[in-house]
Amino acid sequence: MTSESTEKKILNAARDVFIRKGMDGARMQEIADEAGINKSLLHYYFRSKQKLFEAIFRDAFGLLIPELMKIFKEEGPLLNKIDRVVDRYITVIGDNPFLPQFLIGEINRDPDKFIKVVKDSGINPELLQQVIDKEVQAGNINPIRAQDLIPNMIGMVVIPFAVRPLFQTIFFKGNNDEYDAYLNERRKTISAFIKQALVKK
């Protein structure tokens, strides 16, 4: 087995354990067992649970920002891009449900490191605003700032994942399957809400 395939196997195993147990509940031995390797080899690749968690976060976070920029750079109506961004974010966060909690934790624990990850991700607020302004000038949408549109959209995606235990208990009597269906339905709900706010009356 190559070092690359071993590392990938470790990351996949760790992701599964973190999803089940969370950062605090996960143990390095459990991750090693999940990956089918010994604990010494796990420590050779990743010295600590925090380092492993950060690697998974960077990998998952890297699926979001580059994809957002790619979608916004493409030709076509902004309203169609909203559908694709919402769909992509729900898919990625659904596959990596630890992301919202980790995001908040890292901002508070080590803001400088988190800011570096964001800067290295390729985010370009000026380009996003140019795309928005072009649609405004064409009379297709109401004026809005990128720093309002993106947080509004991403916030609506993230919150139901971040507070799942609370919302699932309040609205779905703790039923996992019903809550999963609700999260999936929000692809259309969020897109419709955002587009309704953007479209000129």
Side-chain angles (χ1 to χ4, degrees):
M1 184 180 294
T2 66
S3 60
E4 183 177 349
S5 60
T6 300
E7 183 171 329
K8 184 175 181 180
K9 191 174 183 179
I10 291 171
L11 291 172
N12 288 337
R15 183 180 291 107
D16 290 342
V17 173
F18 285 134
I19 288 172
R20 293 198 307 266
K21 300 292 185 69
M23 172 62 174
D24 292 337
R27 297 289 178 266
M28 291 292 272
Q29 183 62 61
E30 185 177 6
I31 294 170
D33 293 342
E34 185 89 9
I37 62 174
N38 60 56
K39 193 175 178 181
S40 297
L41 186 59
L42 176 59
H43 279 284
Y44 172 79
Y45 282 93
F46 299 96
R47 294 191 306 274
S48 68
K49 183 172 66 171
Q50 183 65 31
K51 293 290 184 185
L52 183 52
F53 202 66
E54 288 173 3
I56 293 173
F57 172 70
R58 284 194 300 271
D59 183 53
F61 192 77
L63 299 174
L64 296 176
I65 298 301
E67 186 70 12
L68 181 145
M69 295 307 304
K70 177 184 175 184
I71 292 171
F72 270 82
K73 285 178 181 178
E74 292 175 356
E75 294 297 323
L78 176 62
L79 297 180
N80 290 347
K81 297 175 183 179
I82 298 295
D83 291 335
R84 294 174 58 198
V85 169
V86 169
D87 183 73
R88 181 61 175 163
Y89 270 57
I90 286 180
T91 296
V92 171
I93 296 176
D95 290 340
N96 301 275
F98 58 83
L99 266 179
Q101 289 85 354
F102 184 76
L103 180 67
I104 294 169
E106 283 300 291
I107 290 173
N108 291 311
R109 189 185 67 82
D110 194 345
D112 291 338
K113 181 183 291 184
F114 177 77
I115 289 170
K116 184 179 186 305
V117 172
V118 173
K119 287 181 176 179
D120 292 345
S121 70
I123 186 71
N124 187 337
E126 290 78 16
L127 185 146
L128 296 176
Q129 190 64 56
Q130 289 171 11
V131 172
I132 294 169
D133 290 344
K134 183 179 179 181
E135 292 285 297
V136 172
Q137 292 163 10
N140 296 329
I141 64 171
N142 295 309
I144 189 170
R145 301 179 303 174
Q147 59 261 46
D148 291 320
L149 175 60
I150 302 304
N152 287 349
M153 186 165 50
I154 295 177
M156 290 179 70
V157 170
V158 168
I159 290 299
F161 287 97
V163 298
R164 176 167 185 154
L166 177 63
F167 279 12
Q168 185 170 306
T169 300
I170 292 174
F171 297 113
F172 298 93
K173 298 180 180 178
N175 189 296
N176 271 310
D177 292 338
E178 289 183 10
Y179 200 82
D180 286 340
Y182 159 73
L183 291 173
N184 193 50
E185 289 168 6
R186 283 186 61 79
R187 298 173 195 271
K188 293 181 179 179
T189 303
I190 296 170
S191 290
F193 189 92
I194 294 292
K195 290 191 286 187
Q196 186 176 20
L198 288 176
V199 174
K200 296 180 71 68
K201 306 298 183 184

